[in-house]
Amino acid sequence: MTRFLLRRLGSAVVLILILSAVIFLLQSVSTADPVKAYLGANASPAAVAAARQSLGLDDPLPVRYVDFLTNLVQGDLGVSYRTHRPVVTDLQAFLPATMELVLWSFVIAVLLGGLFAVSGALRWRGSSIFRGPLLVLATAPPFLLALGGIVLFYAQLHILPANGRGPGETGPTGFLLIDTLVAGDPAGFASAAQHLLLPAVVLAIAPAIAIGRIMRSSLTNTLGADYVRTAESKGLTPFRVLGRHVVRNSLGPGLSMAGLQLGFMFAGVVVVEQIFSWPGIGNYLAASIPTSDFPAIAAVTLVLGTIYIVANALVDVLQAVADPRLSA
Amino acid sequence: MATSTDAPPAASLSGLTLSLERDGVRSDVLRGIDLEIARGEIVGLVGESGSGKSVLALALMGLLPHRSHPEVGGAIRVAGVDMVHGRAEELRAVRRNELGVIFQDPMTSLNPTMRIGDQVTEASGTSEESLRLLTAVGIADAELRFRVYPHELSGGLRQRVMAAIAVAGRPSLIIADEPTTALDVTVQAQVLDLLRELRDEFGCSVVLITHDLAVAGQIADRIAVLYAGRIAEVGPTGEVLHAPTHPYTVGLLRSRLSLGTPRDQELRTLRPETGTPAERMLGCAYHTRCPLAVERCRVEQPPLLDIALASAPGIGGEVALTADLPTDERLGPADHDRACWRTVDDVQGFIHDTANAAPLTSRVAPGPGREPAVRVTDLTVTFALRQNRRQRGAGSSAAREVRALRGLNLTVEPGEAVSIVGESGSGKSTLLRVIGGLTPATSGSVALAAGGAQMVFQDAGSSLTPWLTVGELLGERLAPLGLGRTENRARIDRALTSIGLPLSVARVRPAELSGGQRQRVALARATMIPPAVLLCDEPTSALDASLAASVLNLIREMRRELEMTVLFVTHDLSVARLMGDRIVVMTQGEIVEVGTSADVIERPEHPYTRRLLASVPEIGATV
């Protein structure tokens, strides 16, 4: 197992290095001039030349990459051309909001997906009433779902807010739900939950179906497996058969799909954050792209990519825990 | 063991009927079964696939698949509990306390993600008891094996673990559903011995379900032969095997391949099924295949009667109806009963009739001086195997090399047929795959005669692309010739005719064919453009005995007509003897014995060959 973990960790590091190289290369081949963003469109040629010099844009490419990596290792992601603040400071401000949104959304996706899978595989009577609409909703693109949700729950029914995270104060974790709870602020907590609900569900629906379908087919396969028949022949109760024999053996495909979807959710969050004015890195990225704010774009991409790689490495480890045949 | 009529039986089935729904079509799987299993008795339940024997096992356990919407009539009682109408908790209690089950494939029947100790303990209650059971079923170092996963054990050990689960809680009845089919022949003998020992030691009854009369014959006290959901014949093992009274039993025994089957004759087969289900359901289900069928067999279902009673009145005579007989006349465990309108004398007279065994025409003489069809020189194949810490032992490296073949030399003359025999892991299939070009050689060389090789695999179902029709599958082989549509069609028709299938088969997909038909299509595909060498990898081991015999006949016939060289891999010595001019015995990647079929079977030299021969279940030459 240790060997397996080390190998998996090593390959994650290599992947992140490759990712950083790709991001860096893209930045260097782009024709947009970041100095314009840094100084404004009306800067004098002398000022532009001086800025290029001070930003290190005139150095040869390999030198710049090594600088980039050295700074990266030291936790320095450069200064945003747009906000003129260190990118790390910006990330600290925006990342927790995104993390909170995506993680709760992921929890909702896994719960909905699990329900979808179990109800489908065990053929609960009447459960198709729940599965049908979910399937229909999953076919709609997220921006449409978001707009539909706002029209229905905000504009018509007035039961859910449509923008921002709510008035509560963030504390040490940056997760509004947790911070308001710790600070003993029930009104802030309720507001935070209300603000979170709509964007989180919108973001969760498509992944929920993806996870649910995969899990349903693996559950169905497992239920028909010979060893489940063996377990039944031991006279175990249906609950024990499910708990001890079916679930663990069905987890593998569901886990890999969940890891994959978590990665997609961090990418899909850009659209959802914009529609709901969610103060997260998606919004930050959307504002940085038109101004060619490369340090900001590179940092966000690197963070999202790292989360994706870590999530999938974690899935591999979990799969190996679930199935002893894999950790060879 | 003597069966006592006083004690209540371990299980009883009376008038059991069962229908299941598949793809929306309901079919009668069991159609009136009366059977009693006495305490301490081993009953062999024998039948071909589709006879309903495995469904019967599930019914005994009360585990019929809900999805098939089973409809059950009659009664099943196990240890006094009604398994048809009982409440779910009652049935669970019976399964937990009274029943033990051993399924066919121990690899798939054990939970792959659970340590075997835990799996046994689920049934036995405590780990001390599990340890004791694992030791009792003959697992050495039970303490060490307690914490391993199923994939870390060999097939034989896995089946012993299944047996330990089965005997946990001292069941009164063990149901063994084809417990040896997935195992090597030497392991098969051990598992059968184990079943008998379990009966002797724990005093439980055993229902041994198998497709092979000889396997049942090894340990069963009584054999029931099942055909299309009814008992065709039931009686003491010796009588059923040596004095069968039902034409189906006779057919099964005659089509069974043994070490004594004449090599120079066509193999005897049961008549293929030609009737429609409706036809079969009306009279005796076997009448569409029965060589002795008369008019009455077509219209009226024969009752299961004691042979003494049933034979007396003869055809058309008045037969006492079962309902008029006292119960113990019908169900007595020592009785020999049969369901047939023909007299015992008629059936037994037919046993000695050998009319349908056509002699084979003489073989192609291997031409001296010609280039060999296959020449294997110093062939070595190694696989890198990644291993788990538990298997490895301390200090050794992570990657271990497995030498599947260790420097083989083999020359096969043109037109010759060579059988390659060995147990799983002997390297016999690897050798075939290297010759076929599917697996690269690590070192050494393989030279093939012009014309190349074609392969036929064990599982015809999965070796035929499911979404192509048979015509398309066969046509694929002709594509490189560029013959044009009409010529292709003609060739495909000719191929289908040569394998004895109707031309309409060209338009159906493999899933709609039976296992035997699929294997025929696989053969047609391999031989459409006759290869120099036909490579067969256990092509019949997934088929019923009678179907297997007909496919073997077909291969032998094709070999004669196309003058092909045949390499035939099998684990079954009796098949090897019939298919090969020479037999090659392999174990652990090496050839340990080569010789003419007669020499190897009659005068085996290597101890391994002798051990293989001793493990082959035989009935003895009576039929």
Side-chain angles (χ1 to χ4, degrees):
Chain A
M1 197 65 188
T2 330
R3 174 185 298 273
F4 175 79
L5 281 175
L6 286 177
R7 215 168 44 216
R8 204 60 199 80
L9 197 71
S11 72
V13 169
V14 170
L15 276 174
I16 290 170
L17 268 179
I18 293 173
L19 178 69
S20 73
V22 170
I23 292 167
F24 188 80
L25 275 176
L26 280 179
Q27 158 178 353
S28 67
V29 298
S30 163
T31 53
D33 188 354
V35 177
K36 287 265 164 60
Y38 189 62
L39 294 178
N42 300 325
S44 69
V48 168
R52 288 192 72 85
Q53 184 76 49
S54 71
L55 290 172
L57 291 173
D58 289 335
D59 292 340
L61 201 61
V63 174
R64 283 167 58 197
Y65 182 56
V66 171
D67 281 349
F68 174 73
L69 275 187
T70 319
N71 291 335
L72 184 65
V73 172
Q74 291 163 354
D76 179 5
L77 289 163
V79 175
S80 161
Y81 300 159
R82 183 173 61 89
T83 64
H84 295 257
R85 279 185 310 221
V87 172
V88 173
T89 315
D90 282 347
L91 282 183
Q92 276 166 356
F94 296 118
L95 191 58
T98 300
M99 291 293 268
E100 179 168 42
L101 174 59
V102 173
L103 288 185
W104 286 114
S105 184
F106 182 65
V107 169
I108 294 173
V110 169
L111 288 179
L112 278 180
L115 198 62
F116 183 88
V118 173
S119 70
L122 298 183
R123 304 196 168 186
W124 287 348
R125 200 179 290 274
S127 62
S128 52
I129 292 173
F130 141 80
R131 288 201 305 275
L134 203 58
L135 273 171
V136 173
L137 288 179
T139 58
F143 75 88
L144 204 64
L145 273 182
L147 292 177
I150 288 173
V151 167
L152 185 64
F153 294 104
Y154 172 69
Q156 297 290 325
L157 300 173
H158 308 293
I159 49 173
L160 288 177
N163 67 340
R165 302 177 77 186
E169 289 292 315
T170 55
T173 66
F175 278 36
L176 208 48
L177 271 186
I178 295 172
D179 287 337
T180 50
L181 203 62
V182 172
D185 174 11
F189 177 79
S191 157
Q194 275 188 333
H195 280 83
L196 189 63
L197 189 60
L198 200 49
V201 170
V202 164
L203 192 57
I205 284 183
I209 292 295
I211 297 168
R213 298 184 86 147
I214 292 280
M215 269 172 57
R216 179 175 62 179
S217 71
S218 82
L219 269 179
T220 310
N221 279 341
T222 311
L223 282 171
D226 290 349
Y227 54 82
V228 172
R229 197 179 47 181
T230 306
E232 287 174 332
S233 77
K234 291 175 188 169
L236 303 180
T237 60
F239 191 74
R240 276 181 74 88
V241 172
L242 273 182
R244 294 200 58 169
H245 294 274
V246 178
V247 170
R248 186 174 177 180
N249 284 299
S250 314
L251 277 181
L255 275 176
S256 18
M257 186 44 96
L260 208 60
Q261 291 297 328
L262 184 62
F264 291 160
M265 285 166 89
F266 272 103
V269 79
V270 176
V271 172
V272 174
E273 282 190 1
Q274 279 209 286
I275 294 176
F276 287 97
S277 311
W278 193 264
I281 54 168
N283 250 332
Y284 180 67
L285 181 67
S288 302
I289 290 172
T291 54
S292 310
D293 187 353
F294 281 127
I297 298 171
V300 172
T301 317
L302 203 58
V303 167
L304 291 181
T306 307
I307 291 174
Y308 187 82
I309 290 167
V310 169
N312 279 292
L314 211 61
V315 161
D316 282 354
V317 173
L318 285 177
Q319 277 184 320
V321 171
D323 190 338
R325 288 169 296 182
L326 294 179
S327 64
Chain B
M1 178 176 275
T3 55
S4 141
T5 40
D6 318 328
S12 70
L13 310 168
S14 51
L16 180 66
T17 62
L18 171 68
S19 71
L20 295 176
E21 200 175 285
R22 209 174 124 197
D23 302 329
V25 183
R26 187 159 278 283
S27 57
D28 295 319
V29 181
L30 301 178
R31 304 182 305 123
I33 291 194
D34 296 294
L35 187 65
E36 234 170 61
I37 295 125
R39 298 217 169 253
E41 186 187 30
I42 299 182
V43 175
L45 211 54
V46 182
E48 291 176 294
S49 48
S51 60
K53 55 192 195 301
S54 288
V55 175
L56 186 62
L58 291 177
L60 269 170
M61 291 184 273
L63 281 180
L64 291 167
H66 295 294
R67 293 194 173 186
S68 315
H69 306 288
E71 279 175 16
V72 186
I76 308 171
R77 299 191 84 82
V78 175
V81 176
D82 181 344
M83 299 301 281
V84 179
H85 306 288
R87 284 177 300 119
E89 301 90 273
E90 272 185 307
L91 302 194
R92 267 203 300 281
V94 171
R95 288 200 287 273
R96 196 168 49 243
N97 303 324
E98 304 289 347
L99 286 177
V101 193
I102 302 176
F103 291 113
Q104 175 171 349
D105 187 347
M107 184 72 241
T108 61
S109 299
L110 290 171
N111 184 342
T113 62
M114 202 178 199
R115 297 178 199 281
I116 63 152
D118 295 338
Q119 301 197 44
V120 179
T121 307
E122 265 194 337
S124 70
T126 64
S127 35
E128 292 75 47
E129 174 69 1
S130 303
L131 266 179
R132 205 185 61 73
L133 288 169
L134 286 172
T135 314
V137 296
I139 294 183
D141 303 328
E143 293 89 351
L144 284 177
R145 299 262 164 67
F146 207 72
R147 286 182 55 75
V148 306
Y149 291 96
H151 67 277
E152 298 168 298
L153 294 176
S154 69
L157 281 180
R158 280 184 217 132
Q159 201 58 299
R160 284 176 189 271
V161 173
M162 276 303 288
I165 293 173
V167 292
R170 291 191 159 255
S172 52
L173 175 65
I174 292 180
I175 300 167
D177 186 359
E178 301 267 13
T180 61
T181 310
L183 304 177
D184 280 324
V185 46
T186 52
V187 185
Q188 162 170 301
Q190 292 168 19
V191 170
L192 290 176
D193 284 343
L194 175 66
L195 276 176
R196 184 166 36 202
E197 284 162 20
L198 291 176
R199 190 271 307 267
D200 294 345
E201 194 174 322
F202 295 91
C204 51
S205 316
V206 178
V207 174
L208 172 65
I209 296 172
T210 171
H211 66 278
D212 189 347
L213 273 167
V215 166
Q218 301 235 300
I219 61 167
D221 303 311
R222 215 150 52 96
I223 289 181
V225 179
L226 217 58
Y227 188 78
R230 279 175 64 82
I231 291 180
E233 174 166 10
V234 55
T237 300
E239 284 186 37
V240 172
L241 294 184
H242 300 294
T245 61
H246 193 285
Y248 176 60
T249 319
V250 174
L252 274 184
L253 284 166
R254 282 162 57 122
S255 62
R256 186 175 188 281
L257 303 177
S258 72
L259 293 174
T261 308
R263 292 189 67 218
D264 51 354
Q265 286 174 3
E266 199 174 314
L267 303 175
R268 288 189 289 203
T269 60
L270 293 178
R271 221 185 267 182
E273 181 62 77
T274 50
T276 62
E279 262 181 279
R280 272 173 280 158
M281 291 308 115
L282 189 61
C284 170
Y286 190 57
H287 84 263
T288 50
R289 301 170 73 181
C290 182
L292 298 174
V294 292
E295 180 59 18
R296 186 171 189 183
C297 305
R298 205 171 58 76
V299 293
E300 198 179 341
Q301 195 162 277
L304 185 66
L305 296 174
D306 193 287
I307 51 170
L309 291 165
S311 58
I315 311 161
E318 282 302 307
V319 173
L321 288 176
T322 40
D324 302 336
L325 294 167
T327 312
D328 41 284
E329 274 297 302
R330 283 190 283 150
L331 294 173
D335 288 349
H336 188 170
D337 300 344
R338 64 192 210 106
C340 184
W341 290 123
R342 299 294 301 261
T343 63
V344 171
D345 291 344
D346 284 346
V347 175
Q348 295 191 331
F350 172 68
I351 294 173
H352 304 289
D353 167 28
T354 54
N356 76 343
L360 290 182
T361 49
S362 61
R363 286 162 199 285
V364 194
R370 282 201 282 166
E371 279 293 298
V374 182
R375 191 200 295 274
V376 175
T377 322
D378 294 329
L379 181 63
T380 304
V381 172
T382 49
F383 296 118
L385 188 76
R386 283 193 310 177
Q387 272 203 323
N388 186 307
R389 186 160 31 96
R390 241 186 308 283
Q391 292 168 314
R392 235 180 10 243
S396 63
S397 68
R400 192 170 66 107
E401 287 200 331
V402 172
R403 298 178 69 189
L405 297 178
R406 306 158 181 251
L408 290 198
N409 289 293
L410 180 66
T411 306
V412 182
E413 299 301 328
E416 192 187 20
V418 174
S419 294
I420 303 168
V421 195
E423 295 187 292
S424 49
S426 62
K428 59 188 193 301
S429 290
T430 307
L431 172 59
L432 208 63
R433 292 178 64 89
V434 176
I435 295 173
L438 298 175
T439 299
T442 308
S443 69
S445 69
V446 172
L448 280 179
Q454 279 291 319
M455 235 171 137
V456 177
F457 298 92
Q458 171 173 2
D459 186 351
S462 61
S463 65
L464 297 174
T465 314
W467 57 83
L468 295 179
T469 64
V470 169
E472 285 165 335
L473 283 166
L474 297 178
E476 257 180 354
R477 289 270 287 130
L478 298 173
L481 301 183
L483 296 172
R485 184 172 295 211
T486 23
E487 175 62 15
N488 272 355
R489 276 283 289 282
R491 290 255 197 140
I492 290 168
D493 286 354
R494 216 181 318 148
L496 287 173
T497 315
S498 76
I499 56 169
L501 289 181
L503 300 186
S504 59
V505 164
R507 287 188 300 277
V508 306
R509 295 195 165 75
E512 297 164 56
L513 300 174
S514 71
Q517 288 174 323
R518 281 201 284 264
Q519 200 55 281
R520 282 165 185 268
V521 171
L523 259 177
R525 179 170 65 172
T527 54
M528 279 206 76
I529 303 170
V533 186
L534 182 66
L535 306 172
C536 303
D537 191 0
E538 304 253 18
T540 57
S541 59
L543 303 177
D544 280 324
S546 170
L547 282 177
S550 73
V551 170
L552 294 179
N553 274 338
L554 183 61
I555 295 175
R556 298 213 288 188
E557 193 184 304
M558 283 187 153
R559 178 192 160 207
R560 278 195 311 278
E561 273 175 19
L562 304 173
E563 300 189 6
M564 275 185 307
T565 309
V566 176
L567 277 178
F568 196 98
V569 162
T570 175
H571 66 278
D572 187 339
L573 270 171
S574 46
V575 173
R577 169 180 163 274
L578 291 165
M579 297 306 289
D581 303 323
R582 279 193 298 158
I583 293 182
V584 173
V585 183
M586 283 183 70
T587 183
Q588 293 173 4
E590 284 172 350
I591 293 176
V592 293
E593 182 157 2
V594 186
T596 65
S597 293
D599 279 348
V600 172
I601 299 294
E602 284 154 31
R603 291 175 290 280
E605 279 175 10
H606 196 273
Y608 179 74
T609 315
R610 290 198 201 118
R611 200 151 62 82
L612 273 185
L613 274 166
S615 309
V616 176
E618 288 284 322
I619 290 173
T622 42
V623 182

PDB file of all heavy atoms in Angstrom, chain B residues 221-239:
ATOM      1  N   ASP B 221     -25.178 -41.847  -3.916  1.00  0.00           N
ATOM      2  CA  ASP B 221     -25.865 -43.089  -3.581  1.00  0.00           C
ATOM      3  C   ASP B 221     -26.969 -43.344  -4.592  1.00  0.00           C
ATOM      4  O   ASP B 221     -27.288 -44.464  -4.932  1.00  0.00           O
ATOM      5  CB  ASP B 221     -26.496 -42.991  -2.188  1.00  0.00           C
ATOM      6  CG  ASP B 221     -25.469 -42.664  -1.124  1.00  0.00           C
ATOM      7  OD1 ASP B 221     -24.424 -43.343  -1.106  1.00  0.00           O
ATOM      8  OD2 ASP B 221     -25.681 -41.712  -0.355  1.00  0.00           O
ATOM      9  N   ARG B 222     -27.557 -42.239  -5.049  1.00  0.00           N
ATOM     10  CA  ARG B 222     -28.685 -42.329  -5.950  1.00  0.00           C
ATOM     11  C   ARG B 222     -28.520 -41.258  -7.010  1.00  0.00           C
ATOM     12  O   ARG B 222     -27.976 -40.193  -6.737  1.00  0.00           O
ATOM     13  CB  ARG B 222     -29.975 -42.057  -5.153  1.00  0.00           C
ATOM     14  CG  ARG B 222     -31.183 -42.836  -5.575  1.00  0.00           C
ATOM     15  CD  ARG B 222     -32.102 -43.082  -4.366  1.00  0.00           C
ATOM     16  NE  ARG B 222     -32.409 -41.861  -3.651  1.00  0.00           N
ATOM     17  CZ  ARG B 222     -33.524 -41.143  -3.845  1.00  0.00           C
ATOM     18  NH1 ARG B 222     -34.419 -41.525  -4.728  1.00  0.00           N
ATOM     19  NH2 ARG B 222     -33.745 -40.039  -3.144  1.00  0.00           N
ATOM     20  N   ILE B 223     -28.979 -41.543  -8.214  1.00  0.00           N
ATOM     21  CA  ILE B 223     -28.884 -40.562  -9.293  1.00  0.00           C
ATOM     22  C   ILE B 223     -30.270 -40.277  -9.846  1.00  0.00           C
ATOM     23  O   ILE B 223     -31.046 -41.200 -10.088  1.00  0.00           O
ATOM     24  CB  ILE B 223     -27.966 -41.071 -10.428  1.00  0.00           C
ATOM     25  CG1 ILE B 223     -26.511 -41.068  -9.952  1.00  0.00           C
ATOM     26  CG2 ILE B 223     -28.104 -40.211 -11.684  1.00  0.00           C
ATOM     27  CD1 ILE B 223     -25.522 -41.518 -10.989  1.00  0.00           C
ATOM     28  N   ALA B 224     -30.576 -38.998  -9.995  1.00  0.00           N
ATOM     29  CA  ALA B 224     -31.807 -38.609 -10.670  1.00  0.00           C
ATOM     30  C   ALA B 224     -31.423 -37.914 -11.961  1.00  0.00           C
ATOM     31  O   ALA B 224     -30.630 -36.974 -11.952  1.00  0.00           O
ATOM     32  CB  ALA B 224     -32.630 -37.677  -9.794  1.00  0.00           C
ATOM     33  N   VAL B 225     -31.943 -38.393 -13.074  1.00  0.00           N
ATOM     34  CA  VAL B 225     -31.636 -37.792 -14.365  1.00  0.00           C
ATOM     35  C   VAL B 225     -32.780 -36.864 -14.731  1.00  0.00           C
ATOM     36  O   VAL B 225     -33.940 -37.268 -14.779  1.00  0.00           O
ATOM     37  CB  VAL B 225     -31.459 -38.875 -15.455  1.00  0.00           C
ATOM     38  CG1 VAL B 225     -31.152 -38.215 -16.798  1.00  0.00           C
ATOM     39  CG2 VAL B 225     -30.356 -39.835 -15.068  1.00  0.00           C
ATOM     40  N   LEU B 226     -32.423 -35.600 -14.962  1.00  0.00           N
ATOM     41  CA  LEU B 226     -33.432 -34.583 -15.214  1.00  0.00           C
ATOM     42  C   LEU B 226     -33.459 -34.278 -16.702  1.00  0.00           C
ATOM     43  O   LEU B 226     -32.413 -34.101 -17.328  1.00  0.00           O
ATOM     44  CB  LEU B 226     -33.020 -33.330 -14.432  1.00  0.00           C
ATOM     45  CG  LEU B 226     -34.103 -32.484 -13.794  1.00  0.00           C
ATOM     46  CD1 LEU B 226     -34.922 -33.315 -12.838  1.00  0.00           C
ATOM     47  CD2 LEU B 226     -33.467 -31.306 -13.072  1.00  0.00           C
ATOM     48  N   TYR B 227     -34.658 -34.230 -17.278  1.00  0.00           N
ATOM     49  CA  TYR B 227     -34.750 -33.776 -18.666  1.00  0.00           C
ATOM     50  C   TYR B 227     -35.917 -32.801 -18.785  1.00  0.00           C
ATOM     51  O   TYR B 227     -37.048 -33.141 -18.436  1.00  0.00           O
ATOM     52  CB  TYR B 227     -34.942 -34.951 -19.639  1.00  0.00           C
ATOM     53  CG  TYR B 227     -34.850 -34.501 -21.068  1.00  0.00           C
ATOM     54  CD1 TYR B 227     -33.617 -34.258 -21.653  1.00  0.00           C
ATOM     55  CD2 TYR B 227     -35.995 -34.254 -21.810  1.00  0.00           C
ATOM     56  CE1 TYR B 227     -33.518 -33.797 -22.951  1.00  0.00           C
ATOM     57  CE2 TYR B 227     -35.909 -33.790 -23.122  1.00  0.00           C
ATOM     58  CZ  TYR B 227     -34.653 -33.570 -23.684  1.00  0.00           C
ATOM     59  OH  TYR B 227     -34.556 -33.093 -24.975  1.00  0.00           O
ATOM     60  N   ALA B 228     -35.629 -31.614 -19.279  1.00  0.00           N
ATOM     61  CA  ALA B 228     -36.645 -30.582 -19.517  1.00  0.00           C
ATOM     62  C   ALA B 228     -37.582 -30.429 -18.330  1.00  0.00           C
ATOM     63  O   ALA B 228     -38.800 -30.407 -18.472  1.00  0.00           O
ATOM     64  CB  ALA B 228     -37.435 -30.891 -20.794  1.00  0.00           C
ATOM     65  N   GLY B 229     -37.012 -30.334 -17.140  1.00  0.00           N
ATOM     66  CA  GLY B 229     -37.807 -30.019 -15.966  1.00  0.00           C
ATOM     67  C   GLY B 229     -38.578 -31.180 -15.372  1.00  0.00           C
ATOM     68  O   GLY B 229     -39.428 -30.982 -14.511  1.00  0.00           O
ATOM     69  N   ARG B 230     -38.307 -32.398 -15.834  1.00  0.00           N
ATOM     70  CA  ARG B 230     -38.923 -33.584 -15.229  1.00  0.00           C
ATOM     71  C   ARG B 230     -37.848 -34.630 -14.968  1.00  0.00           C
ATOM     72  O   ARG B 230     -36.811 -34.643 -15.611  1.00  0.00           O
ATOM     73  CB  ARG B 230     -39.977 -34.184 -16.165  1.00  0.00           C
ATOM     74  CG  ARG B 230     -41.311 -33.468 -16.113  1.00  0.00           C
ATOM     75  CD  ARG B 230     -42.254 -34.026 -17.143  1.00  0.00           C
ATOM     76  NE  ARG B 230     -42.611 -35.422 -16.907  1.00  0.00           N
ATOM     77  CZ  ARG B 230     -43.556 -35.806 -16.055  1.00  0.00           C
ATOM     78  NH1 ARG B 230     -44.227 -34.925 -15.377  1.00  0.00           N
ATOM     79  NH2 ARG B 230     -43.820 -37.087 -15.896  1.00  0.00           N
ATOM     80  N   ILE B 231     -38.141 -35.509 -14.017  1.00  0.00           N
ATOM     81  CA  ILE B 231     -37.201 -36.593 -13.774  1.00  0.00           C
ATOM     82  C   ILE B 231     -37.469 -37.679 -14.808  1.00  0.00           C
ATOM     83  O   ILE B 231     -38.589 -38.172 -14.944  1.00  0.00           O
ATOM     84  CB  ILE B 231     -37.358 -37.148 -12.354  1.00  0.00           C
ATOM     85  CG1 ILE B 231     -36.870 -36.098 -11.348  1.00  0.00           C
ATOM     86  CG2 ILE B 231     -36.567 -38.437 -12.196  1.00  0.00           C
ATOM     87  CD1 ILE B 231     -36.984 -36.523  -9.917  1.00  0.00           C
ATOM     88  N   ALA B 232     -36.461 -38.021 -15.581  1.00  0.00           N
ATOM     89  CA  ALA B 232     -36.604 -39.069 -16.586  1.00  0.00           C
ATOM     90  C   ALA B 232     -36.386 -40.431 -15.943  1.00  0.00           C
ATOM     91  O   ALA B 232     -37.054 -41.404 -16.259  1.00  0.00           O
ATOM     92  CB  ALA B 232     -35.612 -38.857 -17.716  1.00  0.00           C
ATOM     93  N   GLU B 233     -35.414 -40.456 -15.021  1.00  0.00           N
ATOM     94  CA  GLU B 233     -35.098 -41.730 -14.390  1.00  0.00           C
ATOM     95  C   GLU B 233     -34.423 -41.435 -13.067  1.00  0.00           C
ATOM     96  O   GLU B 233     -33.622 -40.512 -12.949  1.00  0.00           O
ATOM     97  CB  GLU B 233     -34.139 -42.528 -15.295  1.00  0.00           C
ATOM     98  CG  GLU B 233     -33.640 -43.824 -14.661  1.00  0.00           C
ATOM     99  CD  GLU B 233     -32.973 -44.749 -15.677  1.00  0.00           C
ATOM    100  OE1 GLU B 233     -32.733 -44.292 -16.801  1.00  0.00           O
ATOM    101  OE2 GLU B 233     -32.698 -45.896 -15.329  1.00  0.00           O
ATOM    102  N   VAL B 234     -34.762 -42.216 -12.057  1.00  0.00           N
ATOM    103  CA  VAL B 234     -34.088 -42.064 -10.779  1.00  0.00           C
ATOM    104  C   VAL B 234     -33.913 -43.442 -10.153  1.00  0.00           C
ATOM    105  O   VAL B 234     -34.818 -44.278 -10.226  1.00  0.00           O
ATOM    106  CB  VAL B 234     -34.862 -41.109  -9.838  1.00  0.00           C
ATOM    107  CG1 VAL B 234     -36.299 -41.541  -9.636  1.00  0.00           C
ATOM    108  CG2 VAL B 234     -34.163 -40.980  -8.485  1.00  0.00           C
ATOM    109  N   GLY B 235     -32.721 -43.663  -9.596  1.00  0.00           N
ATOM    110  CA  GLY B 235     -32.497 -44.970  -8.997  1.00  0.00           C
ATOM    111  C   GLY B 235     -31.116 -45.038  -8.369  1.00  0.00           C
ATOM    112  O   GLY B 235     -30.346 -44.076  -8.442  1.00  0.00           O
ATOM    113  N   PRO B 236     -30.808 -46.183  -7.755  1.00  0.00           N
ATOM    114  CA  PRO B 236     -29.491 -46.361  -7.158  1.00  0.00           C
ATOM    115  C   PRO B 236     -28.406 -46.165  -8.228  1.00  0.00           C
ATOM    116  O   PRO B 236     -28.584 -46.567  -9.380  1.00  0.00           O
ATOM    117  CB  PRO B 236     -29.504 -47.803  -6.661  1.00  0.00           C
ATOM    118  CG  PRO B 236     -30.944 -48.139  -6.504  1.00  0.00           C
ATOM    119  CD  PRO B 236     -31.668 -47.362  -7.546  1.00  0.00           C
ATOM    120  N   THR B 237     -27.289 -45.558  -7.840  1.00  0.00           N
ATOM    121  CA  THR B 237     -26.249 -45.168  -8.784  1.00  0.00           C
ATOM    122  C   THR B 237     -25.830 -46.310  -9.712  1.00  0.00           C
ATOM    123  O   THR B 237     -25.796 -46.151 -10.936  1.00  0.00           O
ATOM    124  CB  THR B 237     -25.020 -44.656  -8.011  1.00  0.00           C
ATOM    125  OG1 THR B 237     -25.439 -43.532  -7.250  1.00  0.00           O
ATOM    126  CG2 THR B 237     -23.909 -44.242  -8.946  1.00  0.00           C
ATOM    127  N   GLY B 238     -25.549 -47.449  -9.114  1.00  0.00           N
ATOM    128  CA  GLY B 238     -25.082 -48.573  -9.916  1.00  0.00           C
ATOM    129  C   GLY B 238     -26.081 -48.957 -10.985  1.00  0.00           C
ATOM    130  O   GLY B 238     -25.721 -49.194 -12.141  1.00  0.00           O
ATOM    131  N   GLU B 239     -27.355 -48.999 -10.615  1.00  0.00           N
ATOM    132  CA  GLU B 239     -28.383 -49.409 -11.578  1.00  0.00           C
ATOM    133  C   GLU B 239     -28.537 -48.398 -12.696  1.00  0.00           C
ATOM    134  O   GLU B 239     -28.643 -48.754 -13.871  1.00  0.00           O
ATOM    135  CB  GLU B 239     -29.723 -49.588 -10.860  1.00  0.00           C
ATOM    136  CG  GLU B 239     -29.811 -50.862 -10.052  1.00  0.00           C
ATOM    137  CD  GLU B 239     -31.217 -51.052  -9.483  1.00  0.00           C
ATOM    138  OE1 GLU B 239     -32.196 -50.717 -10.182  1.00  0.00           O
ATOM    139  OE2 GLU B 239     -31.315 -51.509  -8.333  1.00  0.00           O
TER     140      GLU B 239
END
